Amino acid sequence: MMGMIGFIAYGAAAVACLLAAWWVAAKATVKRTDRSAMIVALSATAAWCLAIAALGVDRPLGLALEIARNLAWLFVLFRLFGNDRRDESVRLVRPLLLVLAFVELLQAPLIVLSFDPAFSREITLSVFQTSALFRVLLAVGALVLLHNLFAGATTGSRRLIAWTCGALALFWAWELNYFFVAYLSGETSAELAVLRALVTAAVAAPLAMGFSRTGVDLRFRPSRAVTFQSLSLVLIGAYLFAVFFTSQIAASGAGDLARVVQVAFLLGAAALALLWLPSHRLRRWVRVSALKHLFKHRYDYRSEWIRFTHTIGHRADGGRSLQKRAIQSLANIADCGAGLLLMPDEDGKFALAADWQWEELAVPAEALPHELVRILERQALIIDFGEVREGVQHHGELSHVPRWLLEGTSTWAAIPLLHVGKLVGVIVLGKPQVYRLLDWEDFDLLAAAGQQVASYLAEQSSQDALNEATQFEEFNRRIAFVLHDIKNLSSQMSLLLCNAERHADNPEFRKDMLVTLRNSAEKLNIMLARLGRYSQPTGVIHESFDLAALARELRERFGAGHPMRLSDNGPCRVLGHREALMQALVHLIQNAVDASDQEAAVALECRTDGLRGEIAVVDTGCGMSAAFVRNELFKPFVSSKDGGFGIGAYEARAMIRGMGGRLSVESRERAGSRFVVSLPLAAASKLLEGKAEKPDILESEKV
């Protein structure tokens, strides 16, 4: 079974090497000095794989072709040093390559000796171990040369030979392990021999890729999660290998030493697990150490930015405020467990605005002195309290850092939050899980994140100011409506006073005057109550009332001072808010009276079309242009009358819309205007509601 698997594996490796050689010979797009050597090495490797597949691992032809394969790869290594024209390096490595080639050529007499039947088993084993030791030396030398090649190459040469060096490093590392195990065990493992073929097939693709322009520009950048998981697997493998190797050595001795060694390893692993799993600090220390030494940049900027935006933009944990989320977003970057946010108050003094998991720290009323605030704002300085405690300063800030920030060792850093050059806040972070001084990566990342946090806080402050201004604007709008109503009352009282001088002796006039005065008093009494309704025009309570009766009441109110004409087709009960509609119609009628001549009557027309009730206010006054109706009529504080407030039509439409009605306008200059208010009929609304409920009733009857 293993022979069949080996045949397939070595056959596949031979095909892979031949395809790679063809690609380098026919499709290569990068000119390199090792191209011919690479073709020869790949061809020799393919021939060796075919021999192993056909004859087996330990046959003279396969062993001889293996010598040729290794010599070819040494020549490739020699040619690689010439890609960036490092003549000095080529001259220095030539003697070492010759020594390695000589060591490899010593395999020839060893092959002859290993197949001589005159030698005993002990001598044959010694010959085999000597051959394996020579191969170990060859692999070590090749790996040393590869390291020197890549470490000393220029930037351009590194990009050119990166894939080739990586593939050869994998190839020689496997050869080292394969022959080292063979040396220790005294024989070759069939399973490892199969894996050897798979490794050979695996390195063929990157070797060919190194001669392609696409491959040169391609970079393999594993994520940090993959790197950590791979590192964990390597450590586990190293641990198991150490257990096996030590046990084998101990087994060669006397007694049960191997069993004792295995138990010792088991106890050591258990003790490490007991210390590792519960200790958050130890895990943090290992993570920070690995990041420092495995990566060019300690932070995974993509992951940090995703976590930052998720923290500051997601209101979890019972709806934390933006200020608390701002602190946590910066604290998470440096693995800090607590933080404070200092922001300017109304007097411009920086005080505590919010804290995150740091309630026990006593913060004075004036948290930061003015001099330190100026330094933070001008220099965008991130303060490292570890440096401050050691007496290190950068911009004269040492004497201005308040004492409460330096007492104890709980504070770690202060990050200024700058928005358009202005300091909008300062975040003070507590010590991280693994204490360290800040470095350039901390400064850069925290400064960028601090600017982003500052923009969020500035936007929230602007939004709060806008909401406050909106509330004042709403209040001013209500006051404007009140002033408009007062102006209308003043006009009515002035007209009443003018008529009283001429008709004071008329009993009918005195009767109408009392009615008008009573209505005016009632209107003044309810004016303050109406202020609350203007802010919620859609929250009115709908009621059923007769629109025709309302029209007659309006005719009686205005008929004493101006000619009024009413036409209707009988009772018309609509849904709405009678008081609000009365107020809106008063605005419209008063505007119609003001726009008409003294003798020209204002018409009120009330009718129904079966679904909606309408009341129209028609005058024959000066009228309005189409542009004015379209662009300015319902715009607040724009009026066509001298001394007008310009909010009557705006207020009327707002109240009518609030009760579910519509207000339409038709007007022509010097011909007059027609305002039509439309409201749903009470009977039609009930009918529509009944139709909406009927399907549910039928469905319930079916059930």
Side-chain angles (χ1 to χ4, degrees), residues 435-487:
Y435 182 77
R436 54 183 170 81
L437 294 176
L438 279 78
D439 57 17
W440 65 271
E441 275 197 271
D442 296 313
F443 288 123
D444 290 346
L445 186 55
L446 290 175
Q451 290 182 352
Q452 190 70 16
V453 169
S455 66
Y456 283 114
L457 294 176
E459 182 181 358
Q460 186 190 47
S461 299
S462 301
Q463 186 63 40
D464 292 341
L466 181 61
N467 292 337
E468 184 177 351
T470 302
Q471 293 176 353
F472 276 105
E473 181 183 359
E474 178 64 23
F475 180 77
N476 292 334
R477 186 173 69 88
R478 300 184 197 179
I479 296 301
F481 290 161
V482 172
L483 291 176
H484 180 266
D485 295 341
I486 293 175
K487 183 184 77 69

Side-chain angles (χ1 to χ4, degrees), residues 302-599:
R302 175 181 174 274
S303 299
E304 293 295 343
W305 198 251
I306 291 175
R307 182 171 62 165
F308 170 83
T309 54
H310 176 77
T311 301
I312 202 168
H314 183 62
R315 298 190 63 178
D317 300 340
R320 292 166 300 161
S321 65
L322 175 63
Q323 296 175 342
K324 287 183 177 290
R325 300 198 307 272
I327 302 171
Q328 185 182 0
S329 64
L330 292 187
N332 287 341
I333 292 177
D335 293 327
C336 299
L340 303 173
L341 174 61
L342 309 176
M343 295 185 69
D345 56 15
E346 296 179 354
D347 299 328
K349 298 179 180 179
F350 275 72
L352 179 64
D355 65 83
W356 178 67
Q357 299 182 359
W358 208 350
E359 295 83 358
E360 72 277 2
L361 189 65
V363 182
E366 185 177 358
L368 298 178
H370 179 67
E371 294 79 6
L372 183 60
V373 171
R374 293 181 60 186
I375 293 174
L376 294 176
E377 187 172 71
R378 291 181 178 180
Q379 306 297 334
L381 175 66
I382 295 179
I383 299 178
D384 185 348
F385 291 114
E387 291 184 345
V388 173
R389 293 185 180 95
E390 294 175 0
V392 179
Q393 66 176 347
H394 302 279
H395 298 284
E397 73 278 1
L398 191 60
S399 60
H400 303 301
V401 177
R403 184 179 300 274
W404 69 272
L405 285 172
L406 299 178
E407 291 178 349
T409 58
S410 58
T411 55
W412 184 58
I415 297 94
L417 309 179
L418 295 171
H419 181 65
V420 197
K422 183 179 179 181
L423 188 68
V424 300
V426 177
I427 289 182
V428 179
L429 297 179
K431 289 196 308 181
Q433 297 292 335
V434 179
Y435 182 77
R436 54 183 170 81
L437 294 176
L438 279 78
D439 57 17
W440 65 271
E441 275 197 271
D442 296 313
F443 288 123
D444 290 346
L445 186 55
L446 290 175
Q451 290 182 352
Q452 190 70 16
V453 169
S455 66
Y456 283 114
L457 294 176
E459 182 181 358
Q460 186 190 47
S461 299
S462 301
Q463 186 63 40
D464 292 341
L466 181 61
N467 292 337
E468 184 177 351
T470 302
Q471 293 176 353
F472 276 105
E473 181 183 359
E474 178 64 23
F475 180 77
N476 292 334
R477 186 173 69 88
R478 300 184 197 179
I479 296 301
F481 290 161
V482 172
L483 291 176
H484 180 266
D485 295 341
I486 293 175
K487 183 184 77 69
N488 291 337
L489 288 175
S490 177
S491 299
Q492 292 179 8
M493 299 300 292
S494 298
L495 181 61
L496 181 64
L497 181 61
C498 180
N499 292 330
E501 294 176 353
R502 294 182 294 174
H503 306 288
D505 297 332
N506 188 347
E508 293 295 329
F509 174 79
R510 289 197 298 268
K511 181 180 179 181
D512 292 338
M513 182 178 66
L514 291 175
V515 173
T516 303
L517 289 175
R518 185 181 298 110
N519 292 334
S520 299
E522 292 176 356
K523 191 171 183 179
L524 287 173
N525 289 331
I526 65 174
M527 191 173 295
L528 291 177
R530 285 178 45 238
L531 290 176
R533 192 180 70 248
Y534 290 128
S535 62
Q536 296 178 347
T538 60
V540 296
I541 301 174
H542 289 191
E543 57 183 347
S544 174
F545 60 92
D546 188 0
L547 189 61
L550 180 63
R552 288 192 293 270
E553 184 178 340
L554 290 170
R555 183 192 62 178
E556 294 177 0
R557 173 181 293 191
F558 285 90
H562 191 88
M564 300 292 295
R565 187 175 67 250
L566 173 63
S567 63
D568 63 80
N569 56 0
C572 177
R573 300 199 67 83
V574 295
L575 283 180
H577 194 281
R578 192 177 191 280
E579 180 188 348
L581 181 59
M582 171 74 80
Q583 182 62 34
L585 291 173
V586 166
H587 288 318
L588 299 179
I589 295 173
Q590 186 64 51
N591 288 341
V593 170
D594 294 339
S596 304
D597 295 335
Q598 185 65 30
E599 295 78 13

Side-chain angles (χ1 to χ4, degrees), residues 151-380:
T154 61
T155 303
S157 295
R158 283 187 179 182
R159 295 180 58 221
L160 193 67
I161 64 175
W163 287 98
T164 303
C165 289
L168 290 180
L170 175 62
F171 174 78
W172 288 113
W174 180 259
E175 293 291 301
L176 172 63
N177 287 277
Y178 177 78
F179 285 105
F180 185 66
V181 172
Y183 172 77
L184 293 177
S185 61
E187 61 181 358
T188 56
S189 170
E191 292 80 5
L192 292 181
V194 172
L195 291 178
R196 190 185 188 194
L198 297 178
V199 170
T200 303
V203 301
L207 288 173
M209 192 179 298
F211 287 84
S212 170
R213 178 63 59 185
T214 304
V216 171
D217 296 333
L218 186 63
R219 294 290 179 270
F220 177 65
R221 296 186 178 93
S223 65
R224 300 188 176 214
V226 171
T227 304
F228 280 124
Q229 293 171 3
S230 302
L231 180 61
S232 301
L233 292 176
V234 170
L235 293 176
I236 293 172
Y239 172 77
L240 295 177
F241 180 78
V243 172
F244 171 77
F245 182 72
T246 308
S247 300
Q248 290 295 324
I249 294 177
S252 61
D256 296 330
L257 184 59
R259 182 65 58 85
V260 174
V261 171
Q262 292 175 356
V263 172
F265 269 99
L266 181 61
L267 292 176
L272 181 62
L274 291 176
L275 293 175
W276 170 270
L277 294 177
S279 177
H280 186 69
R281 181 181 180 87
L282 180 59
R283 294 198 303 272
R284 292 281 186 179
W285 177 82
V286 172
R287 179 176 180 272
V288 171
S289 300
L291 288 174
K292 280 184 177 181
H293 298 93
L294 289 179
F295 298 97
K296 180 180 180 181
H297 300 292
R298 185 172 68 252
Y299 289 106
D300 186 350
Y301 293 96
R302 175 181 174 274
S303 299
E304 293 295 343
W305 198 251
I306 291 175
R307 182 171 62 165
F308 170 83
T309 54
H310 176 77
T311 301
I312 202 168
H314 183 62
R315 298 190 63 178
D317 300 340
R320 292 166 300 161
S321 65
L322 175 63
Q323 296 175 342
K324 287 183 177 290
R325 300 198 307 272
I327 302 171
Q328 185 182 0
S329 64
L330 292 187
N332 287 341
I333 292 177
D335 293 327
C336 299
L340 303 173
L341 174 61
L342 309 176
M343 295 185 69
D345 56 15
E346 296 179 354
D347 299 328
K349 298 179 180 179
F350 275 72
L352 179 64
D355 65 83
W356 178 67
Q357 299 182 359
W358 208 350
E359 295 83 358
E360 72 277 2
L361 189 65
V363 182
E366 185 177 358
L368 298 178
H370 179 67
E371 294 79 6
L372 183 60
V373 171
R374 293 181 60 186
I375 293 174
L376 294 176
E377 187 172 71
R378 291 181 178 180
Q379 306 297 334

Side-chain angles (χ1 to χ4, degrees), residues 598-615:
Q598 185 65 30
E599 295 78 13
V602 173
L604 296 179
E605 301 174 356
C606 183
R607 63 179 182 270
T608 177
D609 61 0
L611 292 177
R612 302 182 70 86
E614 294 182 352
I615 181 170

